[in-house]
Amino acid sequence: MFVFWTIVGTITTAAILIVALTGVRAAPDSVDESRDVDIYKAQLKEVARDLERGTITEADADALRSEIARRLLAADAQASDAPGLRTGGHALLIGAGLATGALAIGVYLGLGVPGYGDMPLAARMAAMDARAAERPSQSAAQAQYRAAVPRPEIDEDYQTIMERLRGAVAANPEDQRGLALLARNEARIGNFEAAIAAQRRLMAVQGEAVTGADIRDLAELMIVATGGFVSPQAEAVLRRAAAAAPEDAPTRYYLGLMYNQTGRADEAFALWQPLLEESAPSDPWYDAIREQIPQTAAAAGIRYVLPEGRGPSQADLAAAAELEEAERAEMIAGMVAGLAERLATQGGPPEDWAQLIRSQAVLGNAARAQAILDEARAVFADRADAMRLFATTAVETGLE
């Protein structure tokens, strides 16, 4: 602490001295002009002596005195107006420097953390990783969430169905379809422990045939069971899902959520930014990313401008559902026109083109949909993934 304030004081003093010396050196002309005044005064005395000796006439003496006096007045005025330090200037300059230093220290005391040791980037990252490893376990977070949010009430008929489903699965524990149904329905009624157990059993039965989506479903159940918190155990499952299916969008979203929760906004942004750009508004993670990514980018120190919406959002679709048929058609047509204009002027990913093709087909504009499909194929001719997407879209819309 003493060393820190010694350094601060030394730097402040040095800055004040530099400014003061600069001010002193800024007025060399005033010194020269003071010398000119002395010379002109000496010349006046010399004229008086020449007049006494008779070497010049009275008229010549008057002319010389007038010229010298004019020059003397001009030099004296310049010396008075010259830039630089006048009487008290040094004290004023030093006072201003001290005030600036005091203000800087005051701001630091208000916003900074005096006494807090230096923490390089590597050390900060290590500290965040340590805190991430020490976060609550799945069981602890699950118990806390269960205590805060009671399970929903279910009617007798649904309870009867659940009892039958549990009995059927118990009688045939290798039934993959029954296990999948049990996992989903146990989660639906808030019985997450049973849902997670059923999903684990399903994956065990699948063995080597287990997919990345199945693994991600387990992680999702674990995250929902804690109210959105990604525990270390859920993170391990997510990483296993990412290894099996690196491009799986929900897995990427949940990994970004985990990074956000553990202070690694840089990693979260690296996952969410491309995911947002390639997703459609109807995707369940789309709105969640759009809501969180501005703060994530700011925390990561990244300048990021949220892209414009890529068409109708869930809220737009809900609003359209409440309109009359004609009004709904007009609203949807307007959204499609906006998407078409943006793609024509700014471009966009293949998913946006596929969405526009489907939208035009739904509106009954088959010829327009075909023209957009042809244009999209020309734009993305060098991308095999885009061409596969367009082929699927063409089949879905009946264009091929």
Side-chain angles (χ1 to χ4, degrees):
M1 187 66 177
F2 175 77
V3 174
F4 171 79
W5 289 112
T6 300
I7 294 173
V8 169
T10 302
I11 293 175
T12 303
T13 303
I16 293 171
L17 290 175
I18 290 172
V19 174
L21 290 174
T22 301
V24 170
R25 292 173 181 175
D29 292 343
S30 64
V31 176
D32 293 340
E33 288 154 359
S34 297
R35 291 175 180 171
D36 291 342
V37 170
D38 295 336
I39 293 173
Y40 294 142
K41 289 180 178 180
Q43 288 178 348
L44 286 174
K45 294 179 180 179
E46 184 66 26
V47 170
R49 285 196 295 269
D50 290 342
L51 182 60
E52 290 178 358
R53 289 195 297 266
T55 57
I56 59 175
T57 64
E58 185 66 33
D60 292 337
D62 288 340
L64 289 172
R65 281 197 291 265
S66 297
E67 178 62 21
I68 294 171
R70 184 186 64 79
R71 294 180 181 181
L72 175 61
L73 291 173
D76 185 63
Q78 290 180 358
S80 299
D81 296 336
L85 298 177
R86 304 296 174 229
T87 303
H90 290 83
L92 179 61
L93 189 61
I94 293 173
L98 290 173
T100 302
L103 177 62
I105 293 173
V107 171
Y108 172 74
L109 291 174
L111 301 178
V113 186
Y116 196 80
D118 183 30
M119 197 171 187
L121 180 60
R124 292 199 300 272
M125 293 296 185
M128 284 189 288
D129 292 339
R131 287 196 299 272
E134 295 170 358
R135 64 193 190 275
S137 66
Q138 177 69 27
S139 58
Q142 210 167 298
Q144 182 179 6
Y145 180 69
R146 184 170 60 246
V149 182
R151 293 176 182 174
E153 295 183 2
I154 60 175
D155 58 37
E156 292 184 4
D157 291 340
Y158 196 85
Q159 183 65 47
T160 300
I161 294 174
M162 286 301 301
E163 291 298 336
R164 290 177 180 173
L165 179 58
R166 291 166 185 155
V169 172
N172 187 8
E174 304 295 315
D175 181 12
Q176 295 187 23
R177 183 171 180 274
L179 286 167
L181 286 171
L182 183 62
R184 285 198 297 269
N185 284 279
E186 293 285 17
R188 189 173 297 167
I189 63 175
N191 192 6
F192 293 111
E193 294 88 347
I196 292 171
Q199 186 67 21
R200 288 189 184 278
R201 175 60 187 167
L202 172 62
M203 292 167 56
V205 171
Q206 290 173 325
E208 294 183 358
V210 67
T211 66
D214 295 319
I215 303 171
R216 177 248 298 156
D217 286 345
L218 173 60
E220 189 171 40
L221 285 172
M222 297 172 71
I223 294 169
V224 173
T226 59
F229 170 72
V230 185
S231 68
Q233 292 75 23
E235 177 188 348
V237 177
L238 279 174
R239 294 196 182 281
R240 183 183 168 193
E247 298 302 317
D248 183 66
T251 300
R252 291 155 65 193
Y253 167 71
Y254 284 123
L255 279 173
L257 182 65
M258 180 274 299
Y259 280 123
N260 241 5
Q261 293 175 357
T262 56
R264 293 301 305 272
D266 55 328
E267 296 285 0
F269 183 82
L271 284 167
W272 280 357
Q273 189 256 342
L275 178 58
L276 178 63
E277 293 182 354
E278 68 190 43
S279 299
S282 57
D283 292 326
W285 54 85
Y286 183 84
D287 288 339
I289 294 179
R290 280 188 67 88
E291 182 179 351
Q292 300 175 72
I293 198 170
Q295 291 79 14
T296 299
I302 298 171
R303 292 180 178 271
Y304 178 69
V305 178
L306 192 66
E308 296 181 4
R310 295 176 47 184
S313 65
Q314 297 290 354
D316 295 330
L317 295 176
E322 299 177 359
L323 300 175
E324 297 293 334
E325 184 65 29
E327 294 176 335
R328 180 164 60 249
E330 183 179 355
M331 179 180 180
I332 294 174
M335 295 176 182
V336 172
L339 176 60
E341 181 179 359
R342 182 170 63 80
L343 290 179
T345 57
Q346 304 175 21
E351 291 77 12
D352 282 7
W353 288 82
Q355 180 184 353
L356 181 58
I357 294 166
R358 286 192 292 267
S359 299
Q360 294 287 4
V362 169
L363 292 174
N365 303 327
R368 179 59 179 154
Q370 182 65 54
I372 295 171
L373 174 61
D374 295 340
E375 183 180 358
R377 283 174 167 164
V379 172
F380 296 97
D382 59 341
R383 287 185 53 177
D385 60 332
M387 299 304 286
R388 287 193 297 269
L389 173 62
F390 297 146
T392 302
T393 304
V395 174
E396 291 174 348
T397 53
L399 298 178
E400 293 182 0

